[in-house]
Amino acid sequence: MNLAAATNENLAHISNVLIYSSMAVYLLAFFAHMAEWLFGSRSKVGRTAAALTQKAAAQAAAGSVKVQVKEKNGGTAVLERPSVVTRAVSGTRDVPDGPGASGGDEQGDLYGRIAVSLTVLAFLVEASGVLTRALSVQRAPWGNMYEFNITFSTVAVAVYLGLLLAKKNIGWLGLPLVTTVLLDLGLAVTVLYTASDQLVPALHSYWLYIHVSTAIFCGAVFYVGAVSTLLYLFRDAYESKLANGGKPGKFATSVMERLPAAASLDKFSYRVNAAVFPLWTFTIIAGAIWAGDAWGRYWGWDPKETWSFITWVAYACYLHARATAGWKGRKAAYLALIAFACWLFNYYGVNIFVTGKHSYAGV
């Protein structure tokens, strides 16, 4: 074994150690996120829930920003609109955003800051593992499903941290994101692991950096949109139950009242999906150009190409439905989840269970 081969093997080993180390830190971040939800103040959440139901009734009766209520002693009480109110579309409820996973108290906020700090540390360790993997094979680390997985989870966390830096109300994503990343990395190091190797000739192209990098980024943003859409469905059902006079359980109240309002989640998921859709369109076009260079045809209805197009159509239907009055809200949300399911099948199902021109070195 020559020196270069030995160096590459050592780098591959270091990469594996870094990936496992990042999993350990992500696990600590998971427990910190759980502590933020479990030990954050429930009293403030309860007060928010009571204010929500009272405010909804008051606004429905008066239909104004401020409502004057006559008291028995002859005085007048003024109910003010909550400071944070969202209205996504005509006919939706005006309700305040929740105080976040910490419940708005200092103890919960401390756990939240610890969770974010650990997530940043885990991200840096995992990104180092991805970079070391690239150095070990002297190419972009996207040659097989293992490399795609570790890169995808790294980019997903980067999107989350970027939104936090942009001061977006995205703290609710921390727990589901870290949970998903742990599952993704666990699948990568057990089922999908592939030893470092060189690419097949068809992949030796600068289009690898353009096409695959945009596909990974699009998937990470689609994931964020899917989580927010799923939480929107739960929060919307919760708000509907309150509006109809129902009384949700303590657990549902504790969780749902910390989230942004359903209208906020709906608006956020729409914006991220709409923002990344043009890039997904470019990803498909770039893949077609690369296919023309590699295989002499731009489009051949290969399984990967077919499902990429199906995913594009599904998200196009969602965006169109979201702009159509009769399909806003829950109906459009269901389409968004179907579209993300198509992306997931294109990511996992096609690569693992279907054979085509995009099948290289097993998984």
Coordinates of all heavy atoms in Angstrom, one line a residue, residues 16 18 22 27 37 41 48 60 76 83 86 110 132 152 156 164 179 219 236 238 240 309 339 360:
N16 N -15.3 8.6 9.7 CA -16.2 7.7 10.4 C -16.3 8.1 11.9 O -17.4 8.1 12.5 CB -15.8 6.3 10.2 CG -16.0 5.8 8.8 OD1 -16.7 6.4 8.0 ND2 -15.3 4.7 8.5
L18 N -15.7 11.0 13.2 CA -16.3 12.3 13.3 C -17.8 12.2 13.2 O -18.6 12.8 13.9 CB -15.8 13.3 12.3 CG -14.4 13.8 12.5 CD1 -13.9 14.6 11.3 CD2 -14.3 14.7 13.8
S22 N -20.4 13.1 16.0 CA -21.5 14.1 15.9 C -22.9 13.4 16.3 O -23.7 14.2 16.9 CB -21.6 14.5 14.4 OG -22.1 13.4 13.6
L27 N -27.2 13.5 20.1 CA -28.0 12.9 21.2 C -28.1 13.8 22.4 O -29.2 13.9 23.0 CB -27.4 11.5 21.5 CG -28.2 10.7 22.5 CD1 -29.6 10.3 22.0 CD2 -27.4 9.4 22.9
W37 N -38.7 21.5 26.4 CA -40.1 21.2 26.4 C -40.7 20.8 27.7 O -41.8 21.2 28.1 CB -40.4 20.2 25.3 CG -40.4 20.7 23.9 CD1 -39.3 20.8 23.0 CD2 -41.4 21.4 23.2 NE1 -39.6 21.4 21.9 CE2 -41.0 21.7 21.9 CE3 -42.8 21.7 23.5 CZ2 -41.7 22.4 20.9 CZ3 -43.6 22.3 22.5 CH2 -43.0 22.6 21.3
S41 N -41.8 26.6 31.5 CA -43.0 26.9 32.3 C -44.3 26.5 31.6 O -44.5 26.9 30.4 CB -43.0 28.4 32.5 OG -44.2 28.8 33.2
T48 N -51.7 31.6 28.3 CA -51.8 31.9 26.9 C -53.0 31.2 26.3 O -53.8 31.8 25.5 CB -50.5 31.5 26.1 OG1 -49.4 32.1 26.7 CG2 -50.6 31.9 24.6
A60 N -64.8 37.7 18.2 CA -65.9 37.3 17.3 C -67.2 38.1 17.6 O -68.0 38.4 16.7 CB -66.2 35.8 17.6
T76 N -65.2 49.9 33.1 CA -65.0 49.3 31.8 C -63.7 48.7 31.7 O -62.7 49.2 32.0 CB -65.1 50.5 30.7 OG1 -66.4 51.1 30.8 CG2 -65.0 49.9 29.3
S83 N -50.2 40.9 21.0 CA -49.1 41.6 20.3 C -48.7 40.9 19.1 O -48.3 41.6 18.1 CB -47.9 41.7 21.3 OG -47.5 40.5 21.7
T86 N -51.5 36.8 13.5 CA -51.3 36.5 12.1 C -52.6 36.1 11.5 O -53.4 35.5 12.1 CB -50.3 35.3 12.0 OG1 -50.8 34.2 12.7 CG2 -48.9 35.6 12.4
L110 N -32.9 28.6 29.2 CA -31.6 28.1 29.4 C -31.4 26.7 28.7 O -30.4 26.5 28.0 CB -31.3 27.9 30.9 CG -30.0 27.3 31.3 CD1 -28.8 28.1 30.8 CD2 -29.9 27.1 32.8
T132 N -13.9 15.5 5.6 CA -12.8 14.5 5.7 C -13.1 13.4 4.7 O -12.2 12.8 4.1 CB -12.7 14.0 7.1 OG1 -12.6 15.1 8.0 CG2 -11.5 13.1 7.2
F152 N -26.8 15.4 3.4 CA -28.2 15.9 3.5 C -28.5 16.4 5.0 O -29.0 17.5 5.2 CB -29.2 14.9 3.1 CG -30.6 15.2 3.4 CD1 -31.3 16.1 2.6 CD2 -31.3 14.7 4.5 CE1 -32.6 16.5 2.9 CE2 -32.6 15.0 4.7 CZ -33.2 15.9 3.9
A156 N -29.4 20.1 6.2 CA -30.7 20.4 6.9 C -30.4 21.2 8.2 O -31.2 22.1 8.5 CB -31.4 19.1 7.2
L164 N -32.3 30.5 12.3 CA -32.2 31.1 13.6 C -31.3 32.4 13.6 O -31.7 33.4 14.2 CB -31.5 30.1 14.5 CG -32.3 28.9 15.0 CD1 -31.5 28.0 15.9 CD2 -33.6 29.4 15.8
T179 N -34.1 14.9 16.1 CA -34.6 13.5 16.0 C -34.4 12.9 14.7 O -33.9 11.8 14.5 CB -36.1 13.5 16.5 OG1 -36.2 14.1 17.7 CG2 -36.5 12.0 16.5
G219 N -33.8 19.4 -0.9 CA -34.4 18.4 0.0 C -34.4 18.9 1.4 O -35.4 18.6 2.1
D236 N -53.8 23.5 13.7 CA -55.1 24.0 13.2 C -56.2 23.2 13.8 O -57.3 23.7 14.1 CB -55.1 23.8 11.7 CG -56.4 24.3 11.0 OD1 -56.7 25.5 11.1 OD2 -57.1 23.4 10.5
Y238 N -56.2 21.8 16.7 CA -56.3 22.2 18.1 C -57.1 23.5 18.2 O -58.0 23.7 19.0 CB -54.9 22.4 18.7 CG -54.8 23.0 20.0 CD1 -55.1 22.3 21.2 CD2 -54.5 24.4 20.2 CE1 -55.0 22.9 22.4 CE2 -54.4 25.0 21.4 CZ -54.7 24.2 22.6 OH -54.7 24.8 23.8
S240 N -59.2 24.7 16.1 CA -60.6 24.4 15.7 C -61.4 23.9 16.9 O -62.6 24.2 17.1 CB -60.7 23.5 14.5 OG -60.1 24.0 13.4
F309 N -39.5 14.3 -11.7 CA -40.6 15.1 -12.4 C -41.9 15.0 -11.6 O -42.7 16.0 -11.5 CB -40.8 14.5 -13.8 CG -41.9 15.2 -14.6 CD1 -41.7 16.5 -15.0 CD2 -43.0 14.5 -14.9 CE1 -42.7 17.2 -15.7 CE2 -44.0 15.2 -15.6 CZ -43.9 16.5 -16.0
A339 N -46.4 15.8 -1.7 CA -45.2 16.1 -2.5 C -43.9 15.8 -1.9 O -43.0 15.2 -2.5 CB -45.2 17.7 -2.8
Y360 N -25.7 3.3 -8.8 CA -24.2 3.1 -8.8 C -23.8 2.4 -7.6 O -24.2 2.9 -6.5 CB -23.5 4.5 -9.0 CG -23.8 5.2 -10.2 CD1 -24.6 6.4 -10.1 CD2 -23.4 4.8 -11.4 CE1 -24.9 7.1 -11.2 CE2 -23.7 5.5 -12.6 CZ -24.5 6.7 -12.5 OH -24.7 7.4 -13.6

